[in-house]
Amino acid sequence: MTEVQINAEAPQSGNGFRAEMRRARRVMIAARWPVFAVLFLLVAAIAATLGGLLAPFDPNRQNLMLRLADPMSVGPDGGLFLLGSDALGRDVFSRLLYGARVSLTVGFAAIAVGGSIGITAGLLSGYFGGWLDDAIMRLGDIQLAFPFILLAIMFLVVLGSGVWNLILVLGIGQWVTYARIVRADTLSLREKEFVEAARAMGDSTLSIIFRTILPNILAPLTVIASFNVASVILSEAALSFLGLGVPPDVPTWGSMLAESRDTLVANKWWLAIFPGLAIMLTVLSFNILGDWLRDFLDPRLRERT
Amino acid sequence: MGAYIVRRLLQSIIVVIGVTLVSFLALQAGGDPTYLFVSERASAEEIEATRIALGFDRPLHEQYLSFVADLTRGDFGQSLSYRQPAMEIVLEALPATIELTFFAMLLALLLAIPLGVLAAINRGTAWDGSITTVSMLGQSIPSFWMGIMMILFFGLYIRLFPISGHVPFLTPLIAGDFGTAFSNLPRTIYHLVLPGIAVGTYSLARNTRLVRSSLLEVLEQDYVRTARSKGIPELRVLVSHALRNAWLPVVTIIGLEFGFLLGGVVVVETVFSYPGIGRLLFAAINQRDIPLVQAGVILLASIFILLNLLVDLIYVRLDPRVKLAGGRG
Amino acid sequence: MKSHGSLIRTIAAGCLCAVLLIGCVEQSDDTIVVGLSADITTFEPGMISSRDNSNIARHIFSSLFALGPEGEHIPELAHTLDVTEDGTGYIYTLNEGLTCHDGESLTAEDVAYTFNRIADPVNRFTGNAPGFVFTSIGFQNAEALDELRVQINIERKNPIAFGLITEINVHCKDSYEQMSLDEAATSPIGSGPYKLASWTRGSEVVLEKVREPANFERIVWRIIPEASTRTAELIAGNADIITNVVPEQVDAINESGRAEVQIVSGTRRMYLGYNLSEEHAALPGGDAIQDPDVRRALQYAVDVSTICLQLLGVECERATGLVNIQNANPDLTPYSYDPELAERLLDEAGWPRDDEGTRFAIRMQAGQGRYVNDVNVVLAIAQYLEDVGLDIELELMEWASVYTPLLRERSMGPLFFLGTGGGLWSPIYDMTDIAQVGSGTNYTHWSDPRWFDRWPDLVNTDDQDEQRAIINEMLEVFYDDGPWLHMYFQPDFYGVSNRIQWTARRDEYIEVFEATLR
């Protein structure tokens, strides 16, 4: 991933924001693909929030007599199994909707956790330097020293699986990326005039860090965040697949895929295709969004638009 | 340069120690592991005797310190489930994973370079569009899903490739048995195709886009324009000037890639029942086989750290503009 | 560009060549391939504990006597068994001319050594042999009486010792005296029809024939933990026998035309247990299940037959207790599914539904991934119980490191799902789980004197009829007021290729000595 330059000469303030938003909309529509991505994510978000109302069945209601029903077959009480039913006769479509909630919540929450830790660590590291910087960076090195998934497996086996543990583990896996970028940007901003000015005016250190420096480094973080949500969703799917995700009565796309393994050989394709597609499209949308954001924020392209 | 190497080595050792501490604590935190090593109907005396025999009755810090002391003597302890030296078991499983990772990396690179170049040269056209789109898709597919789909497709519908099993190549090679190694090679590759694709797809996709964007950046540079204006043919411009500078980030990526792929290997090894280190470690963690986990984790971390070190050094050699001070980032 | 293109083409061509060359290498007339679901860890006889491990070891080591598919006691290395008057000495007379794989002759001295070595505290063995067999029979020591007769001494009279002794793998003395424990684990020298040719950990075990009875020259045991991969290998013709076929895959295998599924009614007792200890009586719902009337009511609430039929794909053998049907009390019939009766009985027992329709809340715990379709079965049970007014708090946990420790301490519950292995060779063996109130396998802490007071009578009598009468009496108590919600005997699913002729056993033993090509 190429480094993102910040236009560090002029501090961003509230006025330019709306102009930026308008430019964003213009550029995005011109680029076309990001529009689809944003639309898909909106659909996913709606599914996540309104899933309870939209789902035709209770996602956990078993119908042992109607197991592994084909898509568009009739369910109990005359309803329709839009996307078929799974090994316990639960409606795939409803589970997909509820799964959106879990997968997206876990995704965003993990980023929130990882982001908060990472940004704070990066700010402190970059601003104060010295032993604090060393300690934080070494801690990051240790964590990155071995494959994340092994770390995640170890912690989940020990702490037990569950939504909160999952969010914690996935979040902790993210912080170093944020910390490093924030630290680099903080370092370069630390000596700039407007920060000097704030210092001269007697602002407290905390205020300088959080109110002066932070807003100026947020832009590239949105790019990172977008890619990270994608990777967190993939990681959650993998962990659920290994049996370490949320408990079986909570539907997530990853665990639905895991459950589909045994019946694939029997040609029950809908159990694997739909959750797999859901994951793929969501991840794809975040990737497209992140890509577009990066191009958008790249000042060299700015003149051309 | 020498001082830099020494400092990085020391850093690496500290990191490795940190790794062992973290993995030790993580596994102890779940409660008394004794129960995993007695048979289902053992009596209370059996359990107690086993607890003492395996050393779980000692205080935590004592257990850890004795472990570290053993490490310095090269003794990684006995695997609790296999009752064999832990490092031996881990090293036995390592070649299979290296073969898989290497194959995936090769696949990813060999295809990424031409694809990325193709996309960069034909920027904005349908070629570029489709390559970029497919790459995006490739980065969005869960690797185990891909694995399952491939098992179904190639294992059942079109029986082209084997869907499980492993034929050793590295192990006989290292043992000096070149005859067996090279006669095994075709079958080794045959068994690696499906898992290799599953592991390598994400990297292939990402590298393609990386090659493309690096090349695009480089093509904009002044010296390339200069060469072009001098009338040097496009292909030569490409090869001699642009590629030479675009491959620096790729070199960095290769080193880190290996480590990254090692991580992704766990899930794929599980799906394909591939006897590598990922599957071994996953089972070991579930069975609280602490010495085995320690050995595996330390080994993997060491490989990763070594690779990072090498990559840093190569980076420094290739691009003298990079300063040696401080850490990365 | 061109160079890259031709490179790709070369690789593709190479792959194709590989395909054509080696496409047909896997199958061979003198080799049989078995696909197992779990890795094995050792060949040290004192350390073997998993069923898969024992099954492979069974081909490398023989035993004094063996258990047949229907539970018969069959001579193997020994031809006669005599038991002393007081029942504490088991005297086996060996066959003549026995040898181990390295040529050493196998005599009574070697057998005694085998037994004593397992029990030797210096070795710190923790496998099935010392941990279960020896503790169950009360092993004291073994001594060679002469060249061919060995005596196994146990603590006291024990009606099932003869069956348990069949599980001991016999080897020679000299070879094992010289081996370190490490070597014994990886390089066994056995007494059976096959010897270990190679072991690639996590991948496969290859055995080669050394003597009869054995039909195939080689057995390849492949470790394939992933169920769909295992099935795919069977259908593709790369495996002849596979274990643990997932019920949903049965049709696919049968329709493939290359293999079929043998479903045998196994001996593993699957049940929902009630933890009746004092600590658990204090938990929500724990007090309710103390009442045998409540437990009996719940028996009518779960549709076991449907669970079997829908989730396991087969009509399984219903349990009336803990003894395998052929040895169980013939007068007992499985509880029927009658949710209205369940509701009425619960009302009568003093647990009516409240305003929200709940009678009482209770926690249910289970491990996952250990038994056939266990997660789905547990979810289904929870649903049935909820339908009659219980509020179930379900906890599904990882088997080895979370659930098993709870089992050890007998602290799972108040409701818990479990399957314990049984056998066909003696009802008393099946009942042994609950031989004493305090025994490690009495997970339920049940203490009904009508059961436990009869044990000494059962063990001490030699009269078969009297034994049978006591057993039936005890089983009736277990059926009416026992600590289990009786469910089913787990059916075992084996995938068998059409290439071979082999019949699966019901007791989870896998033996391929008699398998042949069709």
Side-chain angles (χ1 to χ4, degrees):
Chain A
M1 198 162 61
T2 52
E3 284 300 324
V4 181
Q5 323 273 352
I6 332 171
N7 186 359
E9 294 309 327
Q12 310 233 354
S13 60
N15 292 339
F17 191 64
R18 291 182 59 193
E20 286 295 293
M21 286 280 99
R22 277 196 299 268
R23 189 170 75 89
R25 210 175 49 230
R26 212 178 341 122
V27 175
M28 189 186 282
I29 296 179
R32 280 181 306 140
W33 283 115
V35 180
F36 290 122
V38 170
L39 281 177
F40 180 82
L41 289 178
L42 277 177
V43 168
I46 292 176
T49 37
L50 295 181
L53 299 172
L54 295 172
F57 297 99
D58 175 353
N60 285 323
R61 180 69 220 184
Q62 304 168 18
N63 303 292
L64 289 188
M65 298 298 186
L66 294 165
R67 311 168 67 223
L68 303 172
D70 291 344
M72 303 302 275
S73 59
V74 179
D77 315 319
L80 204 61
F81 281 145
L82 269 174
L83 300 177
S85 72
D86 70 4
L88 278 176
R90 299 175 296 198
D91 179 30
V92 171
F93 181 60
S94 306
R95 287 177 73 76
L96 216 56
L97 289 178
Y98 273 77
R101 173 183 307 181
V102 180
S103 298
L104 287 177
T105 312
V106 169
F108 280 112
I111 296 300
V113 168
S116 320
I117 301 177
I119 293 176
T120 314
L123 282 172
L124 293 177
S125 203
Y127 194 78
F128 291 115
W131 64 267
L132 187 62
D133 182 16
D134 271 342
I136 293 181
M137 285 296 115
R138 287 299 81 75
L139 203 58
D141 282 343
I142 292 180
Q143 185 174 314
L144 288 187
F146 61 110
F148 165 68
I149 203 157
L150 283 183
L151 189 65
I153 292 173
M154 274 201 309
F155 276 108
L156 285 175
V157 166
V158 165
L159 298 175
S161 40
V163 183
W164 291 111
N165 289 342
L166 196 60
I167 292 177
L168 194 67
V169 168
L170 288 171
I172 291 180
Q174 304 296 314
W175 75 269
V176 185
T177 332
Y178 293 101
R180 288 207 174 153
I181 303 239
V182 167
R183 174 182 177 276
D185 293 344
T186 307
L187 273 177
S188 64
L189 280 188
R190 197 170 55 175
E191 314 300 330
K192 294 287 178 204
E193 290 117 19
F194 65 95
V195 174
E196 291 281 352
R199 237 182 255 139
M201 282 202 291
D203 279 356
S204 74
T205 317
L206 269 181
S207 160
I208 296 176
I209 295 178
F210 287 101
R211 296 189 33 216
T212 319
I213 297 185
L214 183 56
N216 287 294
I217 57 175
L218 278 182
L221 290 179
T222 55
V223 179
I224 313 284
S226 194
F227 288 122
N228 274 4
V229 175
S231 98
V232 164
I233 291 182
L234 279 178
S235 298
E236 182 270 321
L239 288 172
S240 295
F241 183 80
L242 291 174
L244 291 171
V246 293
D249 49 345
V250 179
T252 74
W253 294 334
S255 65
M256 287 171 77
L257 270 183
E259 286 162 17
S260 77
R261 273 141 93 189
D262 291 337
T263 49
L264 275 181
V265 176
N267 226 349
K268 312 291 177 191
W269 54 272
W270 57 94
L271 294 177
I273 296 282
F274 294 121
L277 266 183
I279 295 178
M280 199 177 82
L281 289 176
T282 309
V283 171
L284 187 64
S285 301
F286 277 113
N287 278 335
I288 292 180
L289 196 63
D291 241 18
W292 176 82
L293 270 175
R294 184 177 52 209
D295 286 342
F296 177 71
L297 292 174
D298 185 344
R300 285 180 306 161
L301 298 178
R302 197 160 290 197
E303 302 91 56
R304 301 196 205 150
T305 46
Chain B
M1 184 77 157
Y4 179 68
I5 298 178
V6 168
R7 196 151 38 104
R8 287 284 282 119
L9 275 176
L10 279 178
Q11 271 178 18
S12 308
I13 294 177
I14 295 180
V15 172
V16 170
I17 291 181
V19 161
T20 65
L21 187 62
V22 164
S23 56
F24 177 82
L25 287 177
L27 285 169
Q28 285 285 359
D32 185 355
T34 314
Y35 293 122
L36 294 168
F37 301 98
V38 288
S39 80
E40 265 186 14
R41 310 183 191 201
S43 63
E45 300 90 56
E46 283 285 333
I47 296 175
E48 193 54 39
T50 311
R51 181 179 292 124
I52 296 175
L54 297 176
F56 291 135
D57 54 328
R58 295 175 296 169
L60 275 186
H61 60 270
E62 241 190 71
Q63 290 187 46
Y64 181 70
L65 284 176
S66 81
F67 176 73
V68 172
D70 290 336
L71 277 191
T72 53
R73 277 180 290 140
D75 173 10
F76 284 81
Q78 283 227 335
S79 156
L80 298 175
S81 22
Y82 290 92
R83 281 286 199 105
Q84 301 271 292
M87 192 43 102
E88 226 176 77
I89 298 176
V90 167
L91 287 175
E92 240 183 63
L94 187 62
T97 301
I98 291 185
E99 285 165 14
L100 178 60
T101 316
F102 196 71
F103 184 84
M105 202 168 71
L106 211 63
L107 210 65
L109 280 178
L110 284 182
L111 293 179
I113 295 179
L115 283 176
V117 169
L118 195 61
I121 293 183
N122 296 309
R123 182 201 189 147
T125 66
W127 275 111
D128 182 16
S130 42
I131 290 181
T132 311
T133 310
V134 171
S135 303
M136 283 280 214
L137 278 175
Q139 270 186 283
S140 312
I141 300 183
S143 56
F144 54 93
W145 191 50
M146 191 156 192
I148 294 175
M149 293 289 141
M150 283 199 296
I151 289 180
L152 257 193
F153 197 67
F154 289 103
L156 288 178
Y157 298 139
I158 307 179
R159 282 187 210 138
L160 198 58
F161 294 105
I163 53 181
S164 75
H166 168 251
V167 175
F169 169 72
L170 273 185
T171 313
L173 192 71
I174 295 173
D177 185 358
F178 296 115
T180 316
F182 284 100
S183 68
N184 277 352
L185 190 56
R187 282 180 29 242
T188 305
I189 295 180
Y190 191 49
H191 284 266
L192 281 178
V193 171
L194 292 186
I197 294 178
V199 171
T201 300
Y202 185 89
S203 300
L204 171 59
R206 197 181 57 179
N207 289 354
T208 304
R209 296 177 62 215
L210 192 72
V211 167
R212 175 184 176 277
S213 59
S214 300
L215 198 54
L216 282 179
E217 257 187 54
V218 163
L219 281 176
E220 309 269 316
Q221 301 284 348
D222 290 332
Y223 64 89
V224 173
R225 291 207 209 114
T226 315
R228 228 187 247 138
S229 69
K230 280 199 210 154
I232 304 175
E234 189 79 16
L235 201 60
R236 273 189 62 190
V237 169
L238 204 60
V239 172
S240 54
H241 294 271
L243 272 185
R244 203 186 305 146
N245 288 282
W247 80 308
L248 191 59
V250 177
V251 164
T252 322
I253 287 295
I254 291 178
L256 298 176
E257 196 85 323
F258 203 79
F260 169 80
L261 286 173
L262 269 181
V265 136
V266 178
V267 190
V268 172
E269 283 187 8
T270 307
V271 169
F272 285 93
S273 298
Y274 187 81
I277 227 180
R279 215 189 74 187
L280 180 71
L281 276 185
F282 180 57
I285 290 171
N286 270 327
Q287 287 162 30
R288 308 285 199 80
D289 190 345
I290 297 174
L292 198 55
V293 175
Q294 297 268 42
V297 163
I298 293 172
L299 186 67
L300 284 180
S302 308
I303 293 178
F304 197 73
I305 291 168
L306 199 66
L307 277 172
N308 282 354
L309 183 62
L310 281 174
V311 165
D312 276 354
L313 293 178
I314 294 179
Y315 205 82
V316 162
R317 281 293 312 277
L318 287 180
D319 188 357
R321 290 177 292 167
V322 172
K323 289 213 180 70
L324 293 175
R328 292 192 309 278
Chain C
M1 264 335 96
K2 273 193 192 166
S3 56
H4 290 291
S6 63
L7 182 60
I8 295 174
R9 250 170 294 169
T10 317
I11 293 181
C15 284
L16 213 52
C17 289
V19 170
L20 294 172
L21 271 178
I22 70 171
C24 313
V25 156
E26 311 288 356
Q27 287 290 344
S28 167
D29 279 355
D30 62 358
T31 305
I32 185 171
V33 180
V34 182
L36 297 176
S37 61
D39 199 1
I40 59 161
T41 54
T42 181
F43 286 107
E44 164 57 68
M47 288 300 292
I48 294 174
S49 55
S50 79
R51 175 48 64 199
D52 282 333
N53 219 153
S54 309
N55 282 335
I56 300 183
R58 177 93 186 88
H59 293 74
I60 302 178
F61 300 95
S62 291
S63 358
L64 294 169
F65 269 67
L67 290 174
E70 292 303 314
E72 325 86 274
H73 197 224
I74 302 176
E76 199 161 84
L77 292 177
H79 57 76
T80 314
L81 166 62
D82 296 302
V83 184
T84 59
E85 268 297 318
D86 61 354
T88 64
Y90 282 67
I91 305 173
Y92 290 87
T93 311
L94 294 174
N95 297 330
E96 292 184 30
L98 296 171
T99 54
C100 288
H101 293 160
D102 60 351
E104 183 185 343
S105 58
L106 178 59
T107 63
E109 198 193 346
D110 301 290
V111 176
Y113 173 76
T114 300
F115 278 75
N116 291 326
R117 176 176 179 274
I118 292 175
D120 192 342
V122 167
N123 294 325
R124 304 188 320 205
F125 289 141
T126 56
N128 185 55
F132 172 59
V133 174
F134 279 16
T135 26
S136 302
I137 65 179
F139 177 77
Q140 301 284 295
N141 63 7
E143 48 187 326
L145 298 179
D146 53 43
E147 171 106 2
L148 291 179
R149 293 190 319 146
V150 60
Q151 177 162 331
I152 316 289
N153 294 314
I154 62 176
E155 222 177 335
R156 69 180 80 85
K157 195 162 166 180
N158 189 323
I160 57 172
F162 74 96
L164 290 168
I165 291 179
T166 64
E167 296 190 30
I168 304 296
N169 294 314
V170 172
H171 53 80
C172 289
K173 175 174 174 210
D174 294 343
S175 45
Y176 273 76
E177 254 181 346
Q178 288 157 18
M179 276 203 266
S180 69
L181 291 182
D182 275 1
E183 287 167 342
T186 52
S187 318
I189 300 178
S191 52
Y194 287 89
K195 71 173 199 290
L196 180 68
S198 75
W199 178 24
T200 316
R201 232 182 295 269
S203 186
E204 64 179 23
V205 175
V206 182
L207 301 183
E208 279 172 7
K209 172 177 175 178
V210 289
R211 65 169 175 82
E212 297 297 329
N215 286 329
F216 282 92
E217 284 297 315
R218 291 188 348 142
I219 312 176
V220 177
W221 304 81
R222 293 190 51 205
I223 315 292
I224 311 176
E226 185 65 23
S228 21
T229 311
R230 218 160 44 240
T231 299
E233 290 288 56
L234 176 72
I235 296 180
N238 294 328
D240 296 307
I241 299 175
I242 60 171
T243 64
N244 299 104
V245 175
V246 171
E248 284 86 2
Q249 295 169 350
V250 170
D251 289 334
I253 295 178
N254 288 334
E255 283 161 22
S256 71
R258 302 189 60 147
E260 58 174 28
V261 177
Q262 289 182 20
I263 308 177
V264 290
S265 177
T267 53
R268 185 168 289 269
R269 292 81 50 86
M270 310 304 297
Y271 64 95
L272 186 71
Y274 300 98
N275 194 327
L276 303 170
S277 68
E278 271 177 42
E279 297 87 53
H280 281 78
L283 292 177
D287 47 345
I289 59 172
Q290 291 281 337
D291 181 356
D293 291 334
V294 170
R295 300 200 293 270
R296 201 174 319 115
L298 292 180
Q299 187 74 61
Y300 292 101
V302 179
D303 189 354
V304 180
S305 301
T306 301
I307 287 181
C308 275
L309 205 53
Q310 296 301 322
L311 295 178
L312 303 180
V314 72
E315 250 182 64
C316 46
E317 193 88 68
R318 292 284 310 275
T320 58
L322 70 173
V323 172
N324 272 279
I325 289 297
Q326 61 201 63
N327 296 325
N329 184 334
D331 300 322
L332 302 171
T333 55
Y335 283 91
S336 57
Y337 173 55
D338 194 341
E340 280 131 21
L341 179 56
E343 303 236 27
R344 210 175 58 230
L345 289 177
L346 285 170
D347 285 332
E348 282 167 21
W351 293 94
R353 286 184 184 256
D354 63 14
D355 299 323
E356 279 133 37
T358 310
R359 299 180 187 278
F360 57 89
I362 191 167
R363 181 178 68 185
M364 180 153 77
Q365 293 184 328
Q368 46 183 334
R370 171 97 171 95
Y371 309 115
V372 180
N373 228 343
D374 51 5
V375 171
N376 288 341
V377 169
V378 170
L379 287 172
I381 296 175
Q383 182 76 73
Y384 280 115
L385 292 178
E386 296 223 327
D387 286 345
V388 294
L390 269 59
D391 178 11
I392 303 287
E393 182 202 333
L394 181 59
E395 274 182 28
L396 277 159
M397 11 180 127
E398 194 271 324
W399 177 270
S401 51
V402 186
Y403 193 54
T404 305
L406 292 182
L407 288 178
R408 291 306 162 186
E409 292 156 30
R410 307 192 289 153
S411 65
M412 64 290 141
L415 296 179
F416 62 94
F417 183 71
L418 196 60
T420 40
L424 298 170
W425 49 279
S426 165
I428 304 179
Y429 176 72
D430 284 346
M431 292 162 74
T432 308
D433 278 32
I434 315 193
Q436 289 169 357
V437 181
S439 59
T441 46
N442 181 11
Y443 299 112
T444 55
H445 295 259
W446 191 48
S447 55
D448 196 322
R450 294 176 296 166
W451 169 276
F452 291 98
D453 288 349
R454 289 298 256 155
W455 265 100
D457 304 330
L458 183 59
V459 169
N460 287 321
T461 183
D462 285 323
D463 182 334
Q464 294 288 350
D465 291 328
E466 198 190 325
Q467 226 183 45
R468 187 72 238 178
I470 300 178
I471 291 175
N472 286 345
E473 185 194 314
M474 290 168 75
L475 288 182
E476 199 174 331
V477 172
F478 195 84
Y479 174 83
D480 289 330
D481 299 329
W484 288 11
L485 194 156
H486 314 298
M487 296 196 68
Y488 56 93
F489 295 96
Q490 178 170 271
D492 293 320
F493 295 76
Y494 294 94
V496 182
S497 159
N498 292 339
R499 183 176 92 105
I500 64 162
Q501 177 76 35
W502 178 77
T503 313
R505 282 171 66 135
R506 294 176 54 192
D507 50 11
E508 296 176 9
Y509 280 59
I510 298 178
E511 292 179 355
V512 298
F513 304 114
E514 322 246 309
T516 55
L517 286 176
R518 285 255 178 112

